[in-house]
C-alpha cells in the first residue's frame, strides 16, 4: 500500500524541526550545540563556521572513540565495526567499554534510540543513527526500543510559536508524523522479534510513568535551564519532557518486553518496577546534540528507587547540510537536506545545485592545487554511505591531487545516494499499517542472551505485589545522612549544568521575550 511519497510534502510539515542554516547564520558567533540548537557559529565576516567536534567533545567532556575500542568491538563480536564507526563518524562515547564488559559476560543489554517526529518523511541525517543502531542490533542480537517523541515536538513547536496553534502543528499532526517516521524506521531493516517502537502519546503509563514521576522529582528547573537553554518563559511541558527522554533508557520502563508484568489497565499485576529489570544496562546510539539530556540521566540513574547502571552512549557527528559543514541537515529547509522520499532526479539536482564544493575555483585551479575533501559535501556524504574503505581512500587521494574533478565527485555521490534511497523506498512501500502495528505492540521480545536474563529475574522479585515487598530499597526510610548526601548531589548537578551553559546566570527577566530554541 503506502507509496514512499505518502504523507503531505515535507516542505509544509517540518514544523518542529531545529533551525535551518539560514537561521543559524543569524545565530551567535559561538558554536552552540544542544538538543535544540546545532550551529558551528559565525566568523567576523558572517560566514558559518564548521562545527569543531574536538572542542565540543572537550566541552561535553566525553571521551573519544579510539582504535582500541574498534579492535575490542571486533574481538568481542567477531565482526568488523560498521563504516560509521571505522570512520569515526561515531566519534565519542560514555562507558562503551563497560557495555562490552557486560555483554561479554551476559550476552545482552538494551539498545535505546529515538526520533523527534518533526516531518512526515525523514531525511538522510535522521537515518544515520538508525542505520548504525540496526547494525548494532544485528551484531549483538539484543533488544531495541525506539522512542518517537510526538509530545516533545508538539511542545517544542508550541513553545517556538509562543503558544499559538499553527498549521500542521496540531497535537494529532505529530502523532501522524510519528507513524510515518515509524514506517521509515522499519524500512531501514529492524528485526520485529527484537524491536519495540512507540510514540509517547500511545505508550506512556504503567512503570514507565512511575519512572517519569520519580525522575521529575530528581530534576530542578535550574538543571533543565542550564542543560537545555530554557528560561522562565519556556512552557512547563517542555521543561518536564527531559525526564521522559531520560527514563526511556531504563529497561524497567518496559517490563512486558522482558516477559514481566506491568501496571496497566486492565491488568495491574505489578505495582512497582522490578529491581532486576532496572539493573539491565542500556546503550544509546545518538547524535551528540542529545548528550545534555543523557548527562542528566547518567547523574541520576543510581538515585532511582530501583537503580539502573549509568547508561552508556555512543555519539555521532551530524550529517552536514548541503550548504556546508556549519550546520546539519534540517527538515525545515528542504534545500539543506535529502529526504528519504526524494526521487532520484531531486537528489541529483540538490547535490548539483546546493552541494557545497571543496573544489578549486576554476578547472585550472583545481588541477593545479587540488580540492579539499574536508569541507566538500559530496565527499562527506560518500564517507557516510560508501562502504568500501579502499574506494573512499582512492577518491580522497585523487580529489586532493586534483585528478578527480568536482563534477566527477558529485556524480559518484549522486549515484551512491540514489542507490541507497531507491532501495529504501522499495522497502518503505511494503511497510503496511499492520506491519507498523506489529512493531508498536508491547510484547515479549526474543534475543540471544534472554536465557541469562531470565535466570537473573527470580520469582521473588517479580510483581512486587502489595507495594514494595521484595524491593530492597523501596519502603525503607532514608537516613539523615543519605538525605544530606542527596541534597549535596543535587546542588552539584545544578552547578554542573550551569557551567555547561558557560556559567550563564542571567536573570530570567533579562531574557524575557527571547525565543528559546532558535
Ligand atoms: N529528542 C530526540 C529528537 O528530537 C528524540 C529522542 C528521544 C532521541 N529519545 C532519544 C534521540 C534517544 C536519540 C536517542 O530527535
Amino acid at each position: 500500500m503506502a507509496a514512499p511519497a505518502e504523507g503531505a510534502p515535507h516542505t509544509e510539515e517540518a514544523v518542529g524541526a531545529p533551525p535551518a542554516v539560514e537561521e543559524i547564520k543569524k545565530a551567535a558567533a559561538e558554536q552552540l550545540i544542544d538538543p535544540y540548537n546545532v550551529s558551528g557559529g559565525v566568523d567576523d565576516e558572517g560566514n558559518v563556521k564548521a562545527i569543531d567536534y574536538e572542542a565540543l567533545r572537550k566541552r561535553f567532556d566525553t571521551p573519544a572513540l579510539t582504535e582500541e575500542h574498534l579492535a575490542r568491538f571486533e574481538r568481542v563480536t567477531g565482526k568488523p565495526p560498521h563504516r560509521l564507526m571505522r570512520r569515526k563518524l561515531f566519534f565519542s562515547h560514555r562507558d562503551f567499554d563497560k557495555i562490552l564488559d557486560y555483554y561479554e559476560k551476559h550476552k545482552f543489554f538494551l539498545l535505546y534510540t529515538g526520533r523527534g517526529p518533526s516531518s512526515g518523511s525523514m531525511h538522510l541525517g535522521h537515518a544515520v543513527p538508525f542505520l548504525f543502531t540496526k547494525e548494532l542490533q544485528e551484531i549483538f542480537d539484543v533488544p531495541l526500543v525506539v522512542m518517537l517523541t510526538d509530545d516533545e515536538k508538539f511542545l517544542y513547536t508550541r513553545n517556538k510559536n509562543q503558544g499559538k496553534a499553527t498549521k500542521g502543528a496540531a497535537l494529532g499532526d505529530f502523532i501522524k508524523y510519528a507513524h510515518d517516521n515509524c514506517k521509515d524506521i522499519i524500512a531501514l531493516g529492524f528485526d520485529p522479534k527484537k524491536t519495540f517502537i512507540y510514540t509517547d502519546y500511545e505508550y506512556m503509563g504503567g512503570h514507565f510513568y512511575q519512572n517519569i514521576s520519580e525522575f521529575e522529582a530528581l530534576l530542578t528547573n535550574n538543571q533543565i535551564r542550564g542543560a537545555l537553554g530554557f528560561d522562565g518563559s519556556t512552557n512547563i511541558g517542555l521543561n518536564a519532557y527531559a525526564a521522559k527522554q531520560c527514563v526511556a533508557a531504563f529497561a524497567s520502563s518496559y517490563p512486558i518486553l522482558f516477559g514481566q508484568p506491568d501496571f496497566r489497565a486492565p491488568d495491574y499485576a505489578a505495582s512497582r518496577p522490578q529491581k532486576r529489570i532496572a539493573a539491565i544496562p542500556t546503550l544509546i546510539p545518538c547524535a551528540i546534540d542529545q548528550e545534555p539530556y543523557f548527562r542528566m540521566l547518567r547523574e541520576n540513574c543510581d538515585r532511582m528507587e530501583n537503580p539502573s547502571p549509568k547508561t552508556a552512549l555512543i555519539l555521532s557527528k551530524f550529517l552536514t547540510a548541503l550548504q556546508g559543514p556549519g550546520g546539519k541537515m534540517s527538515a525545515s529547509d528542504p534545500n539543506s537536506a535529502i529526504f528519504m522520499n526524494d526521487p532520484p532526479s531531486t537528489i541529483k539536482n540538490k547535490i548539483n545545485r546546493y552541494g557545497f564544493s571543496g573544489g578549486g575555483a576554476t578547472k585550472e585551479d583545481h588541477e593545479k592545487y587540488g580540492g579539499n575533501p574536508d569541507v566538500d559535501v559530496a565527499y562527506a556524504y560518500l564517507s557516510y554511505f560508501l562502504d568500501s574503505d579502499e574506494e573512499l581512500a582512492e577518491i580522497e587521494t585523487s580529489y586532493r591531487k586534483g585528478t578527480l574533478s568536482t563534477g566527477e565527485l558529485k556524480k559518484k555521490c549522486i549515484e551512491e545516494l540514489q542507490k541507497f534511497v531507491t532501495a529504501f523506498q522499495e522497502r518503505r512501500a511494503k511497510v503496511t499499517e499492520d506491519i507498523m502495528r506489529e512493531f508498536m505492540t508491547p510484547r515479549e521480545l526474543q534475543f540471544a542472551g534472554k536465557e541469562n536474563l531470565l535466570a537473573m529475574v527470580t520469582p521473588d522479585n517479580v510483581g512486587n505485589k502489595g507495594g514494595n515487598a521484595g524491593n530492597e530499597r523501596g519502603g525503607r526510610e532514608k537516613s539523615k545522612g543519605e538525605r544530606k548526601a542527596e541534597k549535596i548531589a543535587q546542588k552539584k548537578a545544578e552547578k554542573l549544568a550551569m557551567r555547561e551553559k558557560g556559567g550563564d546566570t542571567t536573570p530570567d527577566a533579562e531574557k524575557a521575550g527571547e525565543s528559546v530554541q532558535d
Side-chain angles (χ1 to χ4, degrees):
M1 51 155 284
E6 187 209 37
H10 43 70
T11 40
E12 284 179 12
E13 286 190 9
V15 285
V21 175
E22 278 312 307
E23 291 173 65
I24 290 169
K25 281 192 183 157
K26 291 181 240 142
E30 290 297 300
Q31 167 158 295
L32 176 61
I33 290 169
D34 65 36
Y36 298 100
N37 297 280
V38 174
S39 152
V42 289
D43 65 17
D44 295 341
E45 275 94 59
N47 302 312
V48 176
K49 285 191 289 192
I51 293 169
D52 181 343
Y53 286 103
E54 269 316 282
L56 183 60
R57 206 174 57 64
K58 295 222 168 74
R59 189 171 141 82
F60 282 173
D61 196 22
T62 56
L65 201 71
T66 62
E67 288 305 315
E68 283 89 89
H69 287 115
L70 300 193
R72 177 142 190 247
F73 177 96
E74 188 152 359
R75 270 202 312 279
V76 170
T77 66
K79 301 266 167 56
H82 189 266
R83 60 178 182 270
L84 293 170
M85 202 165 147
R86 295 200 299 273
R87 294 172 195 162
K88 308 278 166 61
L89 298 166
F90 276 79
F91 73 114
S92 187
H93 77 105
R94 285 195 193 277
D95 285 340
F96 189 60
D97 323 70
K98 286 203 182 140
I99 274 287
L100 294 177
D101 291 344
Y102 189 91
Y103 180 79
E104 268 188 315
K105 275 209 203 96
H106 305 290
K107 297 292 170 229
F108 70 87
F109 58 83
L110 175 65
L111 274 172
Y112 157 46
T113 192
R115 148 100 185 123
S118 57
S119 60
S121 173
M122 287 170 45
H123 61 54
L124 282 180
H126 299 141
V128 165
F130 287 101
L131 275 180
F132 184 62
T133 303
K134 185 211 154 221
E135 173 108 348
L136 292 183
Q137 178 183 57
E138 226 167 73
I139 290 180
F140 288 107
D141 196 351
V142 288
L144 161 70
V145 292
V146 179
M147 177 189 213
L148 299 170
T149 59
D150 41 9
D151 54 347
E152 176 193 22
K153 289 297 158 180
F154 167 70
L155 292 163
Y156 169 75
T157 309
R158 279 295 158 94
N159 198 66
K160 192 167 78 171
N161 298 326
Q162 275 95 32
K164 278 195 290 293
T166 47
K167 194 165 163 279
L171 192 147
D173 290 324
F174 292 95
I175 299 177
K176 188 180 172 304
Y177 304 150
H179 288 170
D180 289 344
N181 288 184
C182 179
K183 291 178 185 163
D184 283 358
I185 291 164
I186 290 167
L188 288 167
F190 290 99
D191 183 341
K193 288 204 241 22
K194 300 192 241 300
T195 310
F196 174 51
I197 309 180
Y198 62 94
T199 90
D200 291 350
Y201 287 132
E202 288 178 5
Y203 182 65
M204 267 169 199
H207 289 177
F208 198 147
Y209 186 55
Q210 293 178 21
N211 281 341
I212 291 170
S213 273
E214 264 196 70
F215 212 84
E216 283 172 345
L218 294 171
L219 295 179
T220 67
N221 280 313
N222 286 340
Q223 267 175 286
I224 297 292
R225 290 175 190 193
L228 305 175
F230 296 167
D231 64 28
S233 70
T234 308
N235 72 43
I236 60 169
L238 204 50
N239 270 288
Y241 165 75
K244 302 180 172 94
Q245 177 154 336
C246 287
V247 305
F250 297 150
S252 61
S253 298
Y254 317 91
I256 293 170
L257 310 189
F258 304 100
Q260 303 301 314
D262 201 342
F263 183 68
R264 287 173 189 253
D267 175 17
Y268 298 97
S271 62
R272 293 283 292 130
Q274 270 185 57
K275 199 176 168 54
R276 291 292 187 175
I277 298 289
I280 299 173
T282 299
L283 171 68
I284 310 180
C286 65
I288 195 163
D289 60 334
Q290 301 296 310
E291 199 275 341
Y293 280 123
F294 299 133
R295 164 182 312 232
M296 293 188 278
L297 166 63
R298 286 170 50 89
E299 276 161 11
N300 289 298
C301 286
D302 62 348
R303 296 173 73 203
M304 297 294 285
E305 196 175 287
N306 291 313
S308 292
K310 271 193 192 328
T311 309
L313 310 174
I314 182 157
L315 302 163
S316 79
K317 300 179 179 177
F318 309 104
L319 191 63
T320 311
L322 278 156
Q323 286 73 11
K328 63 170 179 170
M329 283 192 176
S330 167
S332 51
D333 176 2
N335 293 334
S336 78
I338 290 174
F339 287 83
M340 303 295 280
N341 65 358
D342 277 346
S345 57
T346 307
I347 296 178
K348 183 172 169 203
N349 290 341
K350 282 185 178 174
I351 297 282
N352 280 335
R353 271 176 68 177
Y354 305 111
F356 184 84
S357 168
T362 62
K363 189 165 171 283
E364 291 70 38
D365 268 11
H366 188 79
E367 279 163 8
K368 197 158 155 202
Y369 306 111
N372 180 4
D374 304 332
V375 297
D376 193 287
V377 162
Y379 179 80
Y381 295 172
L382 282 172
S383 70
Y384 278 78
F385 292 96
L386 181 68
D387 201 47
S388 158
D389 290 342
E390 293 74 38
E391 212 181 332
L392 189 72
E394 159 62 27
I395 288 170
E396 182 186 346
T397 316
S398 51
Y399 197 57
R400 277 193 206 285
K401 265 200 244 148
T403 48
L404 183 74
S405 73
T406 292
E408 286 161 336
L409 178 63
K410 283 194 167 180
K411 185 161 173 281
K412 176 72 187 160
C413 171
I414 290 165
E415 277 166 16
E416 281 304 313
L417 295 188
Q418 285 175 335
K419 225 193 300 171
F420 175 76
V421 173
T422 307
F424 167 83
Q425 289 173 358
E426 278 163 15
R427 292 190 305 268
R428 174 66 168 79
K430 295 193 193 112
V431 181
T432 60
E433 202 71 12
D434 283 351
I435 293 177
M436 180 187 88
R437 280 296 161 202
E438 189 187 336
F439 278 88
M440 296 184 92
T441 303
R443 67 216 182 275
E444 197 173 334
L445 299 180
Q446 306 305 327
F447 49 92
K450 196 171 163 186
E451 291 310 310
N452 300 339
L453 167 69
L454 293 181
M456 294 177 191
V457 185
T458 54
D460 64 327
N461 57 42
V462 170
N464 297 347
K465 276 212 175 91
N468 283 312
N471 171 344
E472 284 168 24
R473 294 214 344 177
R476 186 170 64 80
E477 275 289 318
K478 288 198 173 106
S479 73
K480 219 171 159 186
E482 278 176 308
R483 283 201 303 269
K484 192 163 168 213
E486 286 206 347
K487 265 227 160 97
I488 294 169
Q490 180 86 32
K491 282 272 168 290
K492 231 172 93 187
E494 277 181 18
K495 264 211 184 125
L496 244 170
M498 296 307 283
R499 201 166 333 128
E500 199 37 60
K501 276 305 279 182
D504 180 2
T505 49
T506 320
D508 298 342
E510 279 178 34
K511 291 181 176 171
E514 164 191 308
S515 114
V516 178
Q517 294 95 11
D518 61 350

